[in-house]
């Protein structure tokens, strides 16, 4: 590839999505120049329109008080419904299968209350090795709540690459089919950036009697999803990463239609009760026959509002263009780093299997022995990346707001940091 021969500015000039960058606030260096922001996998950037929408909600609250529930320009009573169509687009769901609510870990617990149905013989839960710690805590504590102390089984990663082989995942699903009842994995692993074949894994596990749930924190807004078609039982995600909803933004859930009218155990709240009779305040809970039945409380307006600015951008850009640009950015970054390693034999290894069609934005890189120094040099140069002890740097070029010149600057900085360390 020879990254030094590539005209990154020409790539920017012909980039069909370049206008979207101006719809975000880019963090700035002390001299006023824009930083290179490669941590959209951790916290997405603020859409410019978010502030205006938030101010409008504050105005409506100031001017209308309680009447804002029904008479705000976007009435608060049904506010969460404003996000349904876009969330369905992003997750490949039917509109009645998704709802924006709560936060990710809280949602995982609520969904497990319905979908983790252990029996004496089949009570184990399969998840991936190196699952995000919060997921592990949620799974383990939920199993303990049911009285099982040894329920969580981790599907091991390859010792050398840290990546889970697809065959190993299927092998474990098959092997534990008599003991495990739930498979719950991250659709994209937070650490390695590995994207799992959710379609095949879901089908394979469901054929063996598992209930299948996905944590889509690192998947939603990063890769296209088809949750309905894949037959996924349930899923949950957060909105502050690729969805640019802001710190602690409201999360979302998916519940497949086939579960909507089942008699499932559920932790209930008044916002899950049928809308027609909710305000008659009856004792008997009558669930809304959609994913909304899992809601507990009335929607947190200020935490939802920034998503009004962000979510429509995905449909405007379109998945095809987003994926095209994302693949180009990520491949240029990963290949460029590999070339730097080849030229300087500097113990750099790309963890993320970035070249297969399932890969997403993120590239996780091991910088053996020099990780901290490279990270510090990137930070000094105004390049925002994510450090993971002991020697991993995670970088995620995001097609909505990263440019090809961002990649060039990052590669130049990494190369000069590597050369510096070899002096
Ligand atoms: C994969 C994954 N799961 C769960 C969480 C926890 O999210 P929250 O704090 O919103 O519950 C995170 C947070 O980054 C995550 O990346």
């Amino acid at each position: 590839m020879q990254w030094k021969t590539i005209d990154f500015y020409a790539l920017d000039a012909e980039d069909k999505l370049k206008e979207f960058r101006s719809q975000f606030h880019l963090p700035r260096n002390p001299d006023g120049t824009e930083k290179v922001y490669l941590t959209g996998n951790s916290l997405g950037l603020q859409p410019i329109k978010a502030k205006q929408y938030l101010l409008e909600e504050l105005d409506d609250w100031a001017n209308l008080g309680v009447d804002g529930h029904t008479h705000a320009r976007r009435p608060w009573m049904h506010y969460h419904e404003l996000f349904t169509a876009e969330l369905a687009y992003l997750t490949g769901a039917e509109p009645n299968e998704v709802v924006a609510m709560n936060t990710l870990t809280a949602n995982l617990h609520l969904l497990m209350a319905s979908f983790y149905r252990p029996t004496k013989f089949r009570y184990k839960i399969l998840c991936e090795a190196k699952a995000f710690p919060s997921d592990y805590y949620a799974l383990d504590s939920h199993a303990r709540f049911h009285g099982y102390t040894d329920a969580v089984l981790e599907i091991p990663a390859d010792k050398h690459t840290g990546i889970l082989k697809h065959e190993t995942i299927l092998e474990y699903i098959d092997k534990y089919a008599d003991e495990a009842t739930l498979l719950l994995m991250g659709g994209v692993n937070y650490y390695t950036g590995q994207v799992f074949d959710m379609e095949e894994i879901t089908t394979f596990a469901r054929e063996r009697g598992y209930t299948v749930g996905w944590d889509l924190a690192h998947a939603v807004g990063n890769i296209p999803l088809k949750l309905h078609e894949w037959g996924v039982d349930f899923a949950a995600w957060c909105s502050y990463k690729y969805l640019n909803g802001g710190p602690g933004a409201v999360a979302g859930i998916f519940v497949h239609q086939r579960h909507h009218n089942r008699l499932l155990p559920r932790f209930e709240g008044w916002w899950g009760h049928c809308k027609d009779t909710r305000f008659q305040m009856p004792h008997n809970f009558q669930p809304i026959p959609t994913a909304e039945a899992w809601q507990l409380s009335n929607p947190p307006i200020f935490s939802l509002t920034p998503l009004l600015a962000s979510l429509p951008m995905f449909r405007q850009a379109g998945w095809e263009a987003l994926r095209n640009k994302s693949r180009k950015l990520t491949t240029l970054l990963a290949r460029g780093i590999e070339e730097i390693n080849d030229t300087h034999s500097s113990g750099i290894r790309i963890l993320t299997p970035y070249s297969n069609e399932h890969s997403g934005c993120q590239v996780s890189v091991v910088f053996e022995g020099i990780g901290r120094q490279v990270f510090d040099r990137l930070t000094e140069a105004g390049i925002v990346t994510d450090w993971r002890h002991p020697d991993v740097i995670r970088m995620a070029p995001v097609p909505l707001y990263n440019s090809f010149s961002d990649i060039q600057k990052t590669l130049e900085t990494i190369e000069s940091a590597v050369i510096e360390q070899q002096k």
Side-chain angles (χ1 to χ4, degrees):
M1 178 185 91
Q2 293 297 315
W3 68 272
K4 285 190 180 164
T5 64
I6 290 171
D7 186 345
F8 289 88
Y9 288 94
L11 291 177
D12 279 338
E14 68 200 31
D15 173 11
K16 290 197 185 82
L17 300 181
K18 61 173 177 282
E19 301 304 332
F20 283 95
R21 183 177 169 101
S22 62
Q23 296 188 37
F24 290 91
H25 288 285
L26 269 293
R28 291 187 180 265
N29 296 302
D31 66 2
T33 54
E34 285 172 352
K35 284 186 188 281
V36 172
Y37 194 78
L38 296 180
T39 41
N41 58 332
S42 183
L43 182 71
L45 290 180
Q46 184 186 133
I48 303 237
K49 277 193 189 156
K51 193 175 189 175
Q52 176 203 326
Y53 291 148
L54 278 165
L55 288 173
E56 286 171 3
E57 301 307 343
L58 283 168
D59 275 351
D60 283 352
W61 180 26
N63 295 327
L64 298 168
V66 71
D67 287 340
H69 285 305
T70 46
H71 288 88
R73 71 198 81 194
R74 294 175 284 267
W76 304 327
M77 176 89 77
H78 305 295
Y79 204 82
H80 60 283
E81 294 171 18
L82 296 173
F83 308 90
T84 305
E86 301 308 335
L87 289 178
Y89 175 73
L90 285 161
T91 56
E94 295 299 321
N96 67 358
E97 293 176 316
V98 288
V99 60
M101 63 182 216
N102 307 322
T103 52
L104 172 52
T105 308
N107 284 340
L108 285 175
H109 277 295
L110 289 174
L111 290 165
M112 283 179 70
S114 297
F115 293 107
Y116 175 51
R117 311 301 312 144
T119 63
K120 196 167 146 201
F121 301 107
R122 221 176 156 178
Y123 64 89
K124 297 200 170 165
I125 303 170
L126 277 190
C127 70
E128 85 269 34
K130 279 211 182 215
F132 193 80
S134 195
D135 289 14
Y136 189 89
Y137 306 149
L139 298 177
D140 192 46
S141 61
H142 222 93
R144 279 188 278 115
F145 180 76
H146 284 272
Y148 302 105
T149 49
D150 60 345
V152 184
L153 289 171
E154 291 179 73
I155 305 170
D158 182 273
K159 273 198 205 101
H160 303 292
T161 62
I163 295 301
L164 271 78
K165 288 197 188 114
H166 184 63
E167 311 81 72
T168 312
I169 298 173
L170 301 188
E171 185 193 312
Y172 265 67
I173 291 171
D174 198 42
K175 183 167 152 191
Y176 288 101
D178 293 337
E179 298 166 53
T181 177
L182 175 67
L183 173 80
L184 200 153
M185 291 175 56
V188 177
N189 183 266
Y190 83 99
Y191 185 78
T192 62
Q194 178 178 11
V195 178
F196 296 106
D197 185 338
M198 286 178 257
E199 179 174 15
E200 197 172 316
I201 294 170
T202 300
T203 306
F204 191 84
R206 290 196 59 240
E207 281 168 1
R208 281 152 187 79
Y210 286 79
T211 300
V212 179
W214 292 96
D215 172 345
L216 301 174
H218 287 263
V220 70
N222 174 9
I223 52 169
L225 300 163
K226 292 187 178 164
L227 300 184
H228 178 81
E229 195 181 309
W230 297 341
V232 169
D233 289 296
F234 69 93
W237 56 88
C238 56
S239 306
Y240 44 77
K241 298 178 188 291
Y242 295 101
L243 297 190
N244 312 305
V250 172
I253 65 158
F254 164 91
V255 177
H256 199 282
Q257 275 174 353
R258 65 175 170 273
H259 298 300
H260 291 180
N261 290 306
R262 284 180 61 203
L263 272 180
L264 285 167
R266 183 169 31 220
F267 291 163
E268 293 162 353
W270 73 320
W271 230 251
H273 183 96
C274 266
K275 296 173 195 180
D276 302 346
T277 54
R278 182 187 289 145
F279 284 94
Q280 291 165 19
M281 308 292 192
H283 249 144
N284 281 351
F285 180 81
Q286 203 189 334
I288 303 171
T290 72
E292 285 191 64
W294 276 265
Q295 294 178 109
L296 298 179
S297 306
N298 69 100
I301 305 305
F302 301 128
S303 168
L304 279 161
T305 302
L307 291 169
L308 284 176
S310 165
L311 296 193
M313 283 192 235
F314 289 86
R315 202 197 290 266
Q316 283 156 19
W319 268 122
E320 201 186 330
L322 285 166
R323 281 297 285 161
N324 256 331
K325 181 173 171 191
S326 172
R327 297 285 300 124
K328 272 191 208 153
L329 288 168
T330 297
T331 309
L332 280 173
L333 178 62
R335 292 233 177 103
I337 293 172
E338 280 172 346
E339 281 175 19
I340 292 170
N341 183 57
D342 292 345
T343 313
H344 302 284
S345 31
S346 42
I348 305 174
R349 183 165 59 86
I350 308 281
L351 267 181
T352 315
Y354 68 89
S355 54
N356 81 42
E357 61 164 307
H358 292 296
S359 69
C361 295
Q362 183 175 324
V363 187
S364 303
V365 191
V366 182
F367 289 88
E368 229 176 274
I370 57 168
R372 192 69 219 188
Q373 290 85 338
V374 174
F375 176 75
D376 289 344
R377 282 288 294 113
L378 286 164
T379 309
E380 281 159 29
I383 301 170
V384 187
T385 61
D386 175 80
W387 168 251
R388 294 280 139 171
H389 186 77
D391 49 16
V392 171
I393 299 178
R394 299 188 306 167
M395 293 167 262
V398 168
L400 278 177
Y401 50 73
N402 282 116
S403 67
F404 290 92
S405 353
D406 285 348
I407 303 299
Q408 182 179 25
K409 188 166 181 207
T410 306
L411 291 173
E412 285 168 356
T413 308
I414 290 174
E415 182 167 53
S416 69
V418 166
I419 293 171
E420 224 168 79
Q421 288 313 307
Q422 290 180 335
K423 276 185 192 156

